[in-house]
Amino acid sequence: MRRLEQVVFGHTVEGLLGALEGHLDAPLRARLKRVGLDLEQELEPAYPREQWHQMVSLAAEALFPNLSPHQSHWLLGQRFLTAYFSTRMGRALQAVLKILGPARALERTARNLASGSNFLSVDVERLAGTDYRLMVSHGSDRPEFIGALCHFGTLTTGVKGLTTVVEAHASPSATYRMRW
């Protein structure tokens, strides 16, 4: 049996490019091209997982060069989600999140994250009414990016007082605690 290649879908890369809007100077374009993203070409339908991780790291470094990798990946996640919500797929997801509310949105996190790639595995555990633990497998070596996606995606529901922390991290997996 042939193993399915782990990929991130092109519309996810489109969201990353949206996050980089106004910052895609010649040096960054060249660095992205070296990792396989040629901005002179149309986006591919999908990109290998490791290539995606390299793109994310380059974007975090370019946007937030004076911050730690933890801080830069968190802020990139926030910026990415804003840009992603302006794509066709992102607008559809945002509309669904607003209808669901925070609890149901978190319980659907696996499905929501699966719209961007074919390799993330998410287990959601409800610890109390407004207290959740999310275990994400195959994320990356920088858990803050996915943590920010979960945090700011959940904020879209209108929830107040949300906190999200990385409880544990063993690359490429992480556990997040989300409460409000």
Side-chain angles (χ1 to χ4, degrees), residues 56-84:
V56 168
S57 289
L58 287 173
E61 292 166 13
L63 290 172
F64 309 104
N66 298 319
L67 298 179
S68 72
H70 300 292
Q71 293 170 311
S72 64
H73 280 77
W74 178 268
L75 291 174
L76 175 62
Q78 179 183 15
R79 193 174 168 115
F80 169 86
L81 200 61
T82 299
Y84 183 73

mmCIF file of all heavy atoms in Angstrom, residues 56-84:
data_model
loop_
_atom_site.group_PDB
_atom_site.id
_atom_site.type_symbol
_atom_site.label_atom_id
_atom_site.label_comp_id
_atom_site.label_asym_id
_atom_site.label_seq_id
_atom_site.Cartn_x
_atom_site.Cartn_y
_atom_site.Cartn_z
ATOM 1 N N VAL A 56 6.559 28.856 6.360
ATOM 2 C CA VAL A 56 6.069 29.487 7.589
ATOM 3 C C VAL A 56 7.225 30.121 8.360
ATOM 4 O O VAL A 56 7.132 31.267 8.822
ATOM 5 C CB VAL A 56 5.283 28.478 8.456
ATOM 6 C CG1 VAL A 56 5.019 29.029 9.853
ATOM 7 C CG2 VAL A 56 3.980 28.101 7.768
ATOM 8 N N SER A 57 8.328 29.408 8.486
ATOM 9 C CA SER A 57 9.486 29.956 9.208
ATOM 10 C C SER A 57 10.044 31.190 8.516
ATOM 11 O O SER A 57 10.372 32.184 9.176
ATOM 12 C CB SER A 57 10.573 28.892 9.354
ATOM 13 O OG SER A 57 10.150 27.911 10.267
ATOM 14 N N LEU A 58 10.152 31.142 7.195
ATOM 15 C CA LEU A 58 10.631 32.308 6.452
ATOM 16 C C LEU A 58 9.694 33.497 6.642
ATOM 17 O O LEU A 58 10.141 34.635 6.813
ATOM 18 C CB LEU A 58 10.764 31.983 4.962
ATOM 19 C CG LEU A 58 11.932 31.095 4.573
ATOM 20 C CD1 LEU A 58 11.844 30.703 3.096
ATOM 21 C CD2 LEU A 58 13.255 31.788 4.869
ATOM 22 N N ALA A 59 8.389 33.242 6.620
ATOM 23 C CA ALA A 59 7.412 34.317 6.799
ATOM 24 C C ALA A 59 7.526 34.933 8.194
ATOM 25 O O ALA A 59 7.514 36.161 8.342
ATOM 26 C CB ALA A 59 5.996 33.791 6.568
ATOM 27 N N ALA A 60 7.653 34.101 9.214
ATOM 28 C CA ALA A 60 7.775 34.604 10.590
ATOM 29 C C ALA A 60 9.031 35.453 10.743
ATOM 30 O O ALA A 60 8.997 36.537 11.350
ATOM 31 C CB ALA A 60 7.783 33.438 11.582
ATOM 32 N N GLU A 61 10.129 34.985 10.182
ATOM 33 C CA GLU A 61 11.386 35.737 10.254
ATOM 34 C C GLU A 61 11.279 37.065 9.508
ATOM 35 O O GLU A 61 11.791 38.087 9.971
ATOM 36 C CB GLU A 61 12.537 34.910 9.666
ATOM 37 C CG GLU A 61 12.908 33.702 10.479
ATOM 38 C CD GLU A 61 13.796 32.731 9.710
ATOM 39 O OE1 GLU A 61 14.328 33.091 8.632
ATOM 40 O OE2 GLU A 61 13.960 31.593 10.186
ATOM 41 N N ALA A 62 10.628 37.050 8.346
ATOM 42 C CA ALA A 62 10.518 38.258 7.534
ATOM 43 C C ALA A 62 9.615 39.303 8.188
ATOM 44 O O ALA A 62 9.922 40.497 8.172
ATOM 45 C CB ALA A 62 9.990 37.912 6.141
ATOM 46 N N LEU A 63 8.510 38.865 8.749
ATOM 47 C CA LEU A 63 7.553 39.804 9.340
ATOM 48 C C LEU A 63 7.979 40.313 10.711
ATOM 49 O O LEU A 63 7.682 41.451 11.068
ATOM 50 C CB LEU A 63 6.174 39.150 9.453
ATOM 51 C CG LEU A 63 5.447 38.896 8.141
ATOM 52 C CD1 LEU A 63 4.192 38.067 8.377
ATOM 53 C CD2 LEU A 63 5.106 40.215 7.457
ATOM 54 N N PHE A 64 8.643 39.464 11.477
ATOM 55 C CA PHE A 64 8.963 39.800 12.870
ATOM 56 C C PHE A 64 10.423 39.461 13.185
ATOM 57 O O PHE A 64 10.706 38.633 14.052
ATOM 58 C CB PHE A 64 8.017 39.042 13.810
ATOM 59 C CG PHE A 64 6.563 39.202 13.450
ATOM 60 C CD1 PHE A 64 5.875 38.172 12.819
ATOM 61 C CD2 PHE A 64 5.902 40.391 13.708
ATOM 62 C CE1 PHE A 64 4.535 38.322 12.471
ATOM 63 C CE2 PHE A 64 4.568 40.545 13.356
ATOM 64 C CZ PHE A 64 3.884 39.517 12.743
ATOM 65 N N PRO A 65 11.361 40.108 12.488
ATOM 66 C CA PRO A 65 12.772 39.723 12.621
ATOM 67 C C PRO A 65 13.361 39.974 14.015
ATOM 68 O O PRO A 65 14.351 39.332 14.371
ATOM 69 C CB PRO A 65 13.472 40.600 11.574
ATOM 70 C CG PRO A 65 12.581 41.784 11.402
ATOM 71 C CD PRO A 65 11.178 41.252 11.594
ATOM 72 N N ASN A 66 12.771 40.845 14.795
ATOM 73 C CA ASN A 66 13.337 41.185 16.100
ATOM 74 C C ASN A 66 12.676 40.444 17.259
ATOM 75 O O ASN A 66 12.987 40.726 18.413
ATOM 76 C CB ASN A 66 13.249 42.699 16.331
ATOM 77 C CG ASN A 66 14.055 43.454 15.282
ATOM 78 O OD1 ASN A 66 15.157 43.042 14.924
ATOM 79 N ND2 ASN A 66 13.489 44.519 14.772
ATOM 80 N N LEU A 67 11.782 39.526 16.945
ATOM 81 C CA LEU A 67 11.098 38.769 17.993
ATOM 82 C C LEU A 67 11.633 37.351 18.068
ATOM 83 O O LEU A 67 12.221 36.837 17.122
ATOM 84 C CB LEU A 67 9.591 38.743 17.718
ATOM 85 C CG LEU A 67 8.882 40.091 17.716
ATOM 86 C CD1 LEU A 67 7.399 39.909 17.411
ATOM 87 C CD2 LEU A 67 9.064 40.801 19.050
ATOM 88 N N SER A 68 11.362 36.695 19.188
ATOM 89 C CA SER A 68 11.753 35.289 19.335
ATOM 90 C C SER A 68 10.927 34.443 18.366
ATOM 91 O O SER A 68 9.841 34.862 17.941
ATOM 92 C CB SER A 68 11.493 34.817 20.764
ATOM 93 O OG SER A 68 10.093 34.673 20.981
ATOM 94 N N PRO A 69 11.401 33.253 18.021
ATOM 95 C CA PRO A 69 10.597 32.371 17.164
ATOM 96 C C PRO A 69 9.208 32.091 17.760
ATOM 97 O O PRO A 69 8.233 32.017 17.030
ATOM 98 C CB PRO A 69 11.433 31.098 17.068
ATOM 99 C CG PRO A 69 12.833 31.567 17.268
ATOM 100 C CD PRO A 69 12.730 32.699 18.273
ATOM 101 N N HIS A 70 9.115 31.965 19.077
ATOM 102 C CA HIS A 70 7.812 31.718 19.707
ATOM 103 C C HIS A 70 6.854 32.868 19.431
ATOM 104 O O HIS A 70 5.719 32.667 19.008
ATOM 105 C CB HIS A 70 7.966 31.520 21.221
ATOM 106 C CG HIS A 70 8.841 30.378 21.601
ATOM 107 N ND1 HIS A 70 8.507 29.068 21.371
ATOM 108 C CD2 HIS A 70 10.063 30.354 22.188
ATOM 109 C CE1 HIS A 70 9.474 28.282 21.800
ATOM 110 N NE2 HIS A 70 10.427 29.038 22.290
ATOM 111 N N GLN A 71 7.322 34.087 19.677
ATOM 112 C CA GLN A 71 6.478 35.269 19.476
ATOM 113 C C GLN A 71 6.163 35.473 17.996
ATOM 114 O O GLN A 71 5.029 35.786 17.640
ATOM 115 C CB GLN A 71 7.186 36.517 20.018
ATOM 116 C CG GLN A 71 7.357 36.527 21.507
ATOM 117 C CD GLN A 71 8.270 37.666 21.939
ATOM 118 O OE1 GLN A 71 9.353 37.869 21.398
ATOM 119 N NE2 GLN A 71 7.813 38.425 22.925
ATOM 120 N N SER A 72 7.160 35.295 17.143
ATOM 121 C CA SER A 72 6.950 35.555 15.714
ATOM 122 C C SER A 72 5.978 34.554 15.097
ATOM 123 O O SER A 72 5.155 34.926 14.262
ATOM 124 C CB SER A 72 8.270 35.565 14.948
ATOM 125 O OG SER A 72 8.901 34.308 14.971
ATOM 126 N N HIS A 73 6.027 33.306 15.537
ATOM 127 C CA HIS A 73 5.095 32.313 14.993
ATOM 128 C C HIS A 73 3.673 32.548 15.498
ATOM 129 O O HIS A 73 2.708 32.326 14.775
ATOM 130 C CB HIS A 73 5.583 30.895 15.286
ATOM 131 C CG HIS A 73 6.638 30.442 14.334
ATOM 132 N ND1 HIS A 73 7.937 30.863 14.410
ATOM 133 C CD2 HIS A 73 6.565 29.632 13.256
ATOM 134 C CE1 HIS A 73 8.634 30.315 13.422
ATOM 135 N NE2 HIS A 73 7.823 29.575 12.712
ATOM 136 N N TRP A 74 3.526 33.011 16.745
ATOM 137 C CA TRP A 74 2.191 33.334 17.269
ATOM 138 C C TRP A 74 1.591 34.488 16.461
ATOM 139 O O TRP A 74 0.453 34.416 16.001
ATOM 140 C CB TRP A 74 2.264 33.681 18.749
ATOM 141 C CG TRP A 74 0.936 34.066 19.324
ATOM 142 C CD1 TRP A 74 0.420 35.326 19.412
ATOM 143 C CD2 TRP A 74 -0.069 33.186 19.849
ATOM 144 N NE1 TRP A 74 -0.833 35.286 19.980
ATOM 145 C CE2 TRP A 74 -1.160 33.984 20.253
ATOM 146 C CE3 TRP A 74 -0.138 31.808 20.020
ATOM 147 C CZ2 TRP A 74 -2.302 33.449 20.822
ATOM 148 C CZ3 TRP A 74 -1.282 31.276 20.597
ATOM 149 C CH2 TRP A 74 -2.351 32.084 20.981
ATOM 150 N N LEU A 75 2.375 35.551 16.287
ATOM 151 C CA LEU A 75 1.875 36.713 15.550
ATOM 152 C C LEU A 75 1.627 36.382 14.079
ATOM 153 O O LEU A 75 0.674 36.888 13.473
ATOM 154 C CB LEU A 75 2.853 37.883 15.692
ATOM 155 C CG LEU A 75 2.925 38.474 17.098
ATOM 156 C CD1 LEU A 75 4.035 39.521 17.181
ATOM 157 C CD2 LEU A 75 1.586 39.063 17.513
ATOM 158 N N LEU A 76 2.468 35.530 13.512
ATOM 159 C CA LEU A 76 2.231 35.090 12.135
ATOM 160 C C LEU A 76 0.917 34.318 12.057
ATOM 161 O O LEU A 76 0.142 34.494 11.111
ATOM 162 C CB LEU A 76 3.371 34.232 11.606
ATOM 163 C CG LEU A 76 3.140 33.648 10.211
ATOM 164 C CD1 LEU A 76 2.980 34.750 9.159
ATOM 165 C CD2 LEU A 76 4.264 32.687 9.842
ATOM 166 N N GLY A 77 0.645 33.466 13.045
ATOM 167 C CA GLY A 77 -0.615 32.720 13.055
ATOM 168 C C GLY A 77 -1.811 33.655 13.057
ATOM 169 O O GLY A 77 -2.783 33.448 12.327
ATOM 170 N N GLN A 78 -1.743 34.701 13.861
ATOM 171 C CA GLN A 78 -2.825 35.686 13.897
ATOM 172 C C GLN A 78 -2.968 36.379 12.548
ATOM 173 O O GLN A 78 -4.073 36.491 12.006
ATOM 174 C CB GLN A 78 -2.552 36.726 14.984
ATOM 175 C CG GLN A 78 -3.615 37.801 15.058
ATOM 176 C CD GLN A 78 -3.295 38.862 16.100
ATOM 177 O OE1 GLN A 78 -2.167 38.971 16.588
ATOM 178 N NE2 GLN A 78 -4.294 39.632 16.456
ATOM 179 N N ARG A 79 -1.857 36.817 12.001
ATOM 180 C CA ARG A 79 -1.872 37.519 10.715
ATOM 181 C C ARG A 79 -2.333 36.587 9.583
ATOM 182 O O ARG A 79 -3.077 36.987 8.699
ATOM 183 C CB ARG A 79 -0.471 38.063 10.455
ATOM 184 C CG ARG A 79 -0.388 39.056 9.356
ATOM 185 C CD ARG A 79 1.028 39.623 9.322
ATOM 186 N NE ARG A 79 1.186 40.351 8.108
ATOM 187 C CZ ARG A 79 1.384 41.652 8.037
ATOM 188 N NH1 ARG A 79 1.485 42.346 9.147
ATOM 189 N NH2 ARG A 79 1.518 42.236 6.875
ATOM 190 N N PHE A 80 -1.862 35.323 9.640
ATOM 191 C CA PHE A 80 -2.264 34.332 8.643
ATOM 192 C C PHE A 80 -3.776 34.143 8.658
ATOM 193 O O PHE A 80 -4.418 34.127 7.613
ATOM 194 C CB PHE A 80 -1.573 32.991 8.917
ATOM 195 C CG PHE A 80 -2.134 31.859 8.106
ATOM 196 C CD1 PHE A 80 -1.666 31.599 6.837
ATOM 197 C CD2 PHE A 80 -3.162 31.074 8.615
ATOM 198 C CE1 PHE A 80 -2.204 30.570 6.080
ATOM 199 C CE2 PHE A 80 -3.702 30.043 7.854
ATOM 200 C CZ PHE A 80 -3.208 29.793 6.590
ATOM 201 N N LEU A 81 -4.345 33.989 9.841
ATOM 202 C CA LEU A 81 -5.779 33.729 9.930
ATOM 203 C C LEU A 81 -6.585 34.894 9.371
ATOM 204 O O LEU A 81 -7.569 34.687 8.659
ATOM 205 C CB LEU A 81 -6.186 33.415 11.367
ATOM 206 C CG LEU A 81 -7.513 32.687 11.498
ATOM 207 C CD1 LEU A 81 -7.473 31.345 10.789
ATOM 208 C CD2 LEU A 81 -7.862 32.499 12.946
ATOM 209 N N THR A 82 -6.166 36.102 9.658
ATOM 210 C CA THR A 82 -6.835 37.273 9.095
ATOM 211 C C THR A 82 -6.790 37.230 7.572
ATOM 212 O O THR A 82 -7.803 37.453 6.899
ATOM 213 C CB THR A 82 -6.176 38.568 9.620
ATOM 214 O OG1 THR A 82 -6.314 38.598 11.044
ATOM 215 C CG2 THR A 82 -6.813 39.805 9.009
ATOM 216 N N ALA A 83 -5.620 36.920 7.015
ATOM 217 C CA ALA A 83 -5.475 36.840 5.557
ATOM 218 C C ALA A 83 -6.264 35.652 4.999
ATOM 219 O O ALA A 83 -6.914 35.766 3.955
ATOM 220 C CB ALA A 83 -4.000 36.718 5.186
ATOM 221 N N TYR A 84 -6.213 34.521 5.700
ATOM 222 C CA TYR A 84 -6.919 33.328 5.229
ATOM 223 C C TYR A 84 -8.422 33.575 5.172
ATOM 224 O O TYR A 84 -9.096 33.126 4.245
ATOM 225 C CB TYR A 84 -6.601 32.131 6.131
ATOM 226 C CG TYR A 84 -7.239 30.849 5.656
ATOM 227 C CD1 TYR A 84 -6.744 30.188 4.528
ATOM 228 C CD2 TYR A 84 -8.333 30.302 6.309
ATOM 229 C CE1 TYR A 84 -7.318 29.019 4.070
ATOM 230 C CE2 TYR A 84 -8.914 29.127 5.864
ATOM 231 C CZ TYR A 84 -8.406 28.496 4.747
ATOM 232 O OH TYR A 84 -8.990 27.334 4.286
#
